[in-house]
């Protein structure tokens, strides 16, 4: 976790885009640790499909490796490498493609530390990009968080800002467990400032980010949906509704910032969970389960969930936009949870 002087220093934090943060985090790991190897389909071709890997093959020859179309194969290779003492990074071009690797991901990678009695670390980092909004259709647009969090053993991060991407990446580097890091192409051009620690910044597991303080309702959100929530919440503040926005950053049961979210709900008495996954693949119900049995004693109204439509992604971009999370749905849920009239 070095601090490249051409990007940022402790004295002069840098403004960077989300895409730049992804690239720099991977670059930093490859530069710092010779045991890191990066595997995936087309990752060494012109920066990959989302241009997050630009320049990496040239900087780190022989360690950014295009694989055949064989997700189960390169995931198994990564597991073997991890058990042998390496630190592999794998990229799934689109989240839907993880289904090709389910045996290795969930029967082997997720379970190996347990099956070997904790004697063997499994430091596999998997990354993938949500591609909603590109008209790519139903086999390229999933959100994989709900799938991975059903398997104990996987840590799952879905960072919203460039700083959080760097921080979650560094936490993944330090973890001895396998970690999935999800990004969303719709965040690629968003910008933010790295903390003073620069590329040594770590987002601790179990610690949320308070995006905005408030008194009327707690809104838990992350990723692209958080950008929509923030705009809605800012608009509602002009009408006297003050929502507290909490970005958990970590979504698996072992890492979820339960205490932070319960502390917020204890102050507001209400909770809305907003995400852009389709309803049946969403995290909201699982998060509510994480918060039991302490949640209901804090609530003055029922918890509410806002998701995308329970439909596969159309290729038509106007239709696709219709099945994504809607600002009006977020607004209605926050107003209802806050106990205010629309």
């Amino acid at each position: 976790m070095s601090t490249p002087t051409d990007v940022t220093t402790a004295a002069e934090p840098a403004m960077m885009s989300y895409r730049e943060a992804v690239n720099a985090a991977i670059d930093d790991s490859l530069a710092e640790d010779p045991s890191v190897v990066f595997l995936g389909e087309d990752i060494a071709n012109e920066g990959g499909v989302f241009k997050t890997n630009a320049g990496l093959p040239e900087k780190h020859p022989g360690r950014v490796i295009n694989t055949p179309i064989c997700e189960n194969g390169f995931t198994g290779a990564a597991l073997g490498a991890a058990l042998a003492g390496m630190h592999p990074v794998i990229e799934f071009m689109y989240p839907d493609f993880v289904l090709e690797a389910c045996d290795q991901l969930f029967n082997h990678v997720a379970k190996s530390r347990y099956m070997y009695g904790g004697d063997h670390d499994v430091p596999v980092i998997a990354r993938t990009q949500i591609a909603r909004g590109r008209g790519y259709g139903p086999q390229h647009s999933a959100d994989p968080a709900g799938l991975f969090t059903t398997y104990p053993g996987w840590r799952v991060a879905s960072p919203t800002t460039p700083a959080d991407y760097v921080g979650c990446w560094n936490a993944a580097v330090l973890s001895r467990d396998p970690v999935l890091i999800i990004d969303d192409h719709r965040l690629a051009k968003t910008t933010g400032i790295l903390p003073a620690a620069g590329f040594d910044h770590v987002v601790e597991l179990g610690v949320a980010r308070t995006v905005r303080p408030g008194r009327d309702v707690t809104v838990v959100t992350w990723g692209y949906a958080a950008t929509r929530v923030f705009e809605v919440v800012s608009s509602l503040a002009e009408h006297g509704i003050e929502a507290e926005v909490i970005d958990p950053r970590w979504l698996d049961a072992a890492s979820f910032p339960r205490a932070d979210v319960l502390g917020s709900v204890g102050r507001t008495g209400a909770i809305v969970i907003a995400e852009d996954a389709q309803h049946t693949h969403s995290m909201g119900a699982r998060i509510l389960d994480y918060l039991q049995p302490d949640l209901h004693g804090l609530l003055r109204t029922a918890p509410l969930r806002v998701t995308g439509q329970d439909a596969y992604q159309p290729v038509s971009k106007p239709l696709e936009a219709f099945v994504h999370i809607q600002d009006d749905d977020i607004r209605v849920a926050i107003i209802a949870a806050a106990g205010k009239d629309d």
Side-chain angles (χ1 to χ4, degrees):
M1 293 179 290
S2 64
T3 309
T5 55
D6 60 335
V7 177
T8 185
T9 68
E12 187 180 356
M15 176 74 73
M16 62 171 33
S17 72
Y18 193 99
R19 180 185 285 126
E20 290 170 335
V22 174
N23 180 276
I26 302 171
D27 183 22
D28 195 55
S29 291
L30 288 161
E32 285 285 294
D33 186 352
S35 75
V36 174
V37 61
F38 188 15
L39 306 172
E41 296 158 7
D42 288 346
I43 62 171
N45 295 347
E46 299 180 354
V49 293
F50 292 101
K51 310 306 179 188
T52 52
N53 308 323
L56 299 182
E58 294 76 19
K59 288 184 179 180
H60 311 284
R63 295 169 61 208
V64 180
I65 302 170
N66 283 337
T67 68
I69 301 175
C70 60
E71 287 83 359
N72 209 48
F74 68 67
T75 302
L79 173 59
L83 292 173
M86 297 183 71
H87 204 155
V89 177
I90 57 177
E91 179 174 309
F92 294 99
M93 186 184 292
Y94 297 98
D96 310 71
F97 297 178
V98 304
L99 298 175
E100 297 289 341
C102 281
D103 181 46
Q104 290 293 345
L105 287 168
F106 305 126
N107 260 334
H108 301 290
V109 176
K111 300 174 183 178
S112 287
R113 290 201 75 189
Y114 170 77
M115 293 176 69
Y116 289 111
D119 291 335
H120 293 280
D121 296 337
V122 187
V124 175
I125 300 177
R127 52 165 274 101
T128 193
Q129 303 94 177
I130 295 172
R132 290 185 135 205
R134 295 175 69 96
Y136 282 2
Q139 293 189 338
H140 296 75
S141 305
D143 183 329
L147 174 62
F148 276 78
T149 55
T150 61
Y151 287 86
W154 276 102
R155 308 278 186 171
V156 178
S158 188
T160 305
T161 68
D164 278 353
Y165 195 95
V166 170
C168 289
W169 181 271
N170 284 336
V173 168
L174 295 170
S175 175
R176 299 297 88 193
D177 294 320
V179 181
L180 172 70
I181 301 184
I182 305 166
D183 69 63
D184 191 311
H185 85 94
R186 293 169 293 186
L187 298 175
K189 295 181 181 179
T190 60
T191 59
I193 297 175
L194 291 191
F199 284 95
D200 288 331
H201 173 55
V202 176
V203 170
E204 295 182 25
L205 281 65
V207 178
R209 178 172 65 98
T210 299
V211 180
R212 180 189 179 109
R215 63 176 185 270
D216 296 319
V217 56
T218 297
V219 185
V220 178
T221 187
W222 60 92
Y224 172 74
T227 66
R228 308 308 318 144
V229 166
F230 192 76
E231 289 191 16
V232 171
V233 165
S234 298
S235 173
L236 289 174
E238 298 174 2
H239 301 282
I241 297 175
E242 293 290 343
E244 181 153 289
V245 181
I246 304 292
D247 184 342
R249 306 187 284 200
W250 296 95
L251 299 176
D252 61 283
S255 312
F256 186 80
R258 188 174 183 275
D260 291 344
V261 175
L262 287 170
S264 175
V265 177
R267 293 188 294 274
T268 67
I271 184 171
V272 172
I273 301 172
E275 55 185 310
D276 195 34
Q278 68 186 78
H279 188 77
T280 48
H281 293 179
S282 61
M283 283 295 305
R286 187 163 294 123
I287 288 172
L288 292 175
D289 186 64
Y290 295 165
L291 300 174
Q292 298 291 4
D294 300 310
L295 181 63
H296 282 294
L298 305 176
L299 291 174
R300 52 178 166 70
T301 187
L304 296 175
R305 294 170 54 200
V306 185
T307 68
Q309 298 288 335
D310 209 8
Y312 295 117
Q313 300 299 291
V315 172
S316 161
K317 288 190 177 181
L319 290 177
E320 187 182 26
F322 176 75
V323 305
H324 295 172
I325 193 168
Q326 301 293 314
D327 290 0
D328 284 346
D329 294 338
I330 298 169
R331 183 177 295 104
V332 168
I334 292 174
I335 291 170
K340 308 288 186 178
D341 294 328
D342 193 348

